Amino acid sequence: MTIYIDEREDRTHAEARLHRRYQPEVRANGLARRNPQDSNVPRIGAELAASRALSQLAHQLLDDSIADVEQATGEPAYFHG
């Protein structure tokens, strides 16, 4: 997995990429915006943007898992968190 972070002015963008050997790479994005009245602490924006990208990636992987189980079994799949 690789997380790329790009900070510009009051916005921080993160892209999480999960590299898989036999399947296509999965990518997800996260964005954090700093309120102009807040102190400029780049680490906070990077953490927030990265967490949002990772959350989106987790949801994509869960959807992929459900689809794979349904394809393998021919039955609807439900995962409990």
Short mmCIF file of all heavy atoms in Angstrom, two decimals, residues 15 24 55 72:
data_model
loop_
_atom_site.label_atom_id
_atom_site.label_comp_id
_atom_site.label_asym_id
_atom_site.label_seq_id
_atom_site.Cartn_x
_atom_site.Cartn_y
_atom_site.Cartn_z
N GLU A 15 -4.15 10.15 -1.64
CA GLU A 15 -4.57 9.03 -2.47
C GLU A 15 -3.94 7.77 -1.91
O GLU A 15 -2.71 7.69 -1.78
CB GLU A 15 -4.15 9.22 -3.92
CG GLU A 15 -4.60 8.06 -4.80
CD GLU A 15 -4.17 8.20 -6.24
OE1 GLU A 15 -2.95 8.22 -6.49
OE2 GLU A 15 -5.05 8.29 -7.10
N PRO A 24 -6.41 -6.00 -10.05
CA PRO A 24 -6.09 -4.58 -10.31
C PRO A 24 -5.86 -3.81 -9.01
O PRO A 24 -6.41 -4.13 -7.96
CB PRO A 24 -7.34 -4.06 -11.02
CG PRO A 24 -8.06 -5.26 -11.53
CD PRO A 24 -7.71 -6.38 -10.60
N SER A 55 -10.49 5.06 4.67
CA SER A 55 -11.87 4.66 4.93
C SER A 55 -12.57 4.32 3.63
O SER A 55 -13.28 3.30 3.54
CB SER A 55 -12.60 5.79 5.65
OG SER A 55 -13.95 5.48 5.86
N ALA A 72 -18.88 -16.59 -6.07
CA ALA A 72 -18.43 -17.96 -5.77
C ALA A 72 -19.57 -18.86 -5.31
O ALA A 72 -19.58 -20.06 -5.60
CB ALA A 72 -17.35 -17.92 -4.70
#
